[in-house]
């Protein structure tokens, strides 16, 4: 479904992504793990059109999307839940969800998707008229995910969904990611909490200073001594 080939990305003179290649098959949950500053968020931002690669290709469903504008990529079927939520704090929950569907014109479909988001996140329905900035961190994360789902993505990019959340909420968010995937959305997940990420993923890539150093089945990587020492606390 998604293939990155020899991707190189720079921030001015800094070579942030150094020739990485990875793939995500339809229906999978694939996770990118690595330390802070390894280039995980940069990879997602490049896929979703917020950064332009210097070289290399990004192919989504057979179409080269490297260098496409961000709104075109959303139209193509990729949606990102950014690191730090980035909800529209001054707007209501409902207005945030409506904005998630900005590329769509099918009113009935939008209505059905709002209903689906409320089934996934009942707390959002209870707070649908509340100003988004007054929600708790966990509720804001739910809103950011709900907003991304409103564009009906076939591929969902999740950037650090557990950041700053209490352990119980992290579990809830990860259960919902599994539900979203089971309902037919492919997921590429960037996550600091490697234990949780590997527990739900099919496959994983380990990123170190802009390079992929390990790749394979998520369960096998979770059992590997190298990964355990570096990312799983022993």
């Amino acid at each position: 479904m998604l293939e990155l080939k020899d991707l190189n990305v720079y921030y001015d003179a800094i070579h942030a992504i150094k020739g990485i290649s990875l793939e995500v098959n339809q229906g999978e949950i694939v996770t990118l793990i690595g330390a802070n500053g390894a280039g995980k968020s940069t990879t997602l931002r490049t896929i979703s059109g917020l950064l332009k690669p210097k070289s290399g290709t990004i192919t989504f469903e057979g179409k080269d999307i490297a260098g496409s504008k961000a709104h075109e990529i959303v139209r193509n079927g990729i949606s990102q839940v950014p690191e730090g939520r980035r909800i529209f704090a001054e707007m209501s929950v409902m207005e945030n969800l409506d904005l998630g569907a900005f590329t769509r014109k099918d009113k009935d479909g939008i209505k059905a998707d709002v209903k689906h988001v409320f089934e996934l996140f009942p707390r959002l329905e209870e707070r649908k008229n509340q100003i988004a900035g007054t929600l708790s961190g966990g509720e804001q994360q739910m809103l950011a995910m709900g907003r991304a789902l409103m564009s009906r993505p076939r591929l969902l990019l999740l950037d650090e969904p557990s950041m700053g959340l209490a352990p119980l909420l992290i579990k809830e968010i990860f259960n919902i990611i599994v539900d979203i995937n089971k309902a037919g959305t492919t997921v590429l997940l960037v996550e600091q909490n490697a234990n949780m990420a590997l527990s739900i993923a099919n496959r994983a890539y380990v990123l170190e200073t802009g390079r992929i150093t390990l790749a394979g089945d998520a369960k096998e990587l979770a059992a590997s001594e190298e990964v355990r020492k570096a990312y799983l606390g022993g």
Side-chain angles (χ1 to χ4, degrees):
M1 187 183 226
L2 177 76
E3 186 181 20
L4 274 54
K5 241 189 180 153
D6 298 325
L7 200 67
N8 286 281
V9 183
Y10 286 77
Y11 284 111
D12 297 325
I14 297 162
H15 195 177
I17 298 294
K18 301 164 184 166
I20 71 168
S21 297
L22 64 84
E23 57 185 48
V24 180
N25 301 310
Q26 192 166 347
E28 286 189 309
I29 297 178
V30 174
T31 186
L32 273 182
I33 61 171
N36 259 338
K40 305 186 301 298
S41 293
T42 301
T43 303
L44 290 195
R45 287 168 64 80
T46 307
I47 295 166
S48 59
L50 297 169
L51 293 171
K52 281 194 165 42
K54 181 98 179 220
S55 62
T57 58
I58 304 169
T59 312
F60 178 62
E61 296 177 332
K63 182 180 175 185
D64 185 8
I65 58 165
S68 295
K69 291 188 168 67
H71 67 274
E72 290 165 355
I73 287 171
V74 173
R75 275 204 183 95
N76 282 330
I78 299 177
S79 194
Q80 179 168 354
V81 181
E83 183 183 354
R85 341 253 196 254
R86 306 275 176 90
I87 52 151
F88 300 106
E90 307 295 317
M91 293 181 177
S92 72
V93 166
M94 205 57 229
E95 287 167 333
N96 269 270
L97 294 178
D98 285 341
L99 273 169
F102 79 100
T103 57
R104 297 171 57 186
K105 301 278 181 280
D106 55 322
K107 281 190 176 145
D108 289 348
I110 291 169
K111 208 182 260 184
D113 285 354
V114 168
K115 193 170 173 249
H116 174 58
V117 167
F118 288 158
E119 281 163 7
L120 281 171
F121 306 107
R123 245 175 289 183
L124 293 183
E125 185 167 24
E126 291 162 20
R127 293 160 172 67
K128 64 182 178 190
N129 299 316
Q130 197 169 315
I131 296 300
T134 65
L135 298 174
S136 71
E139 289 159 357
Q140 289 187 20
Q141 183 61 49
M142 291 171 187
L143 180 56
M145 288 167 72
R147 181 183 62 186
L149 289 172
M150 287 302 297
S151 67
R152 275 208 187 156
R154 295 185 296 288
L155 174 64
L156 183 64
L157 310 177
L158 284 160
D159 196 354
E160 303 285 5
S162 79
M163 190 186 270
L165 300 185
L168 264 176
L169 259 176
I170 291 173
K171 213 166 180 209
E172 190 180 335
I173 292 286
F174 273 79
N175 286 339
I176 292 164
I177 294 169
V178 170
D179 289 344
I180 289 167
N181 177 248
K182 281 182 179 157
T185 306
T186 304
V187 175
L188 178 57
L189 167 68
V190 155
E191 182 52 64
Q192 202 68 43
N193 186 333
N195 264 319
M196 284 300 286
L198 292 171
S199 76
I200 67 163
N202 303 100
R203 291 184 305 108
Y205 292 89
V206 177
L207 210 52
E208 281 178 29
T209 57
R211 287 193 171 88
I212 287 170
T213 54
L214 282 169
D217 177 85
K219 307 264 177 299
E220 284 171 17
L221 281 184
S224 118
E225 201 166 318
E226 199 178 330
V227 173
R228 277 216 313 274
K229 274 195 179 129
Y231 304 106
L232 308 177

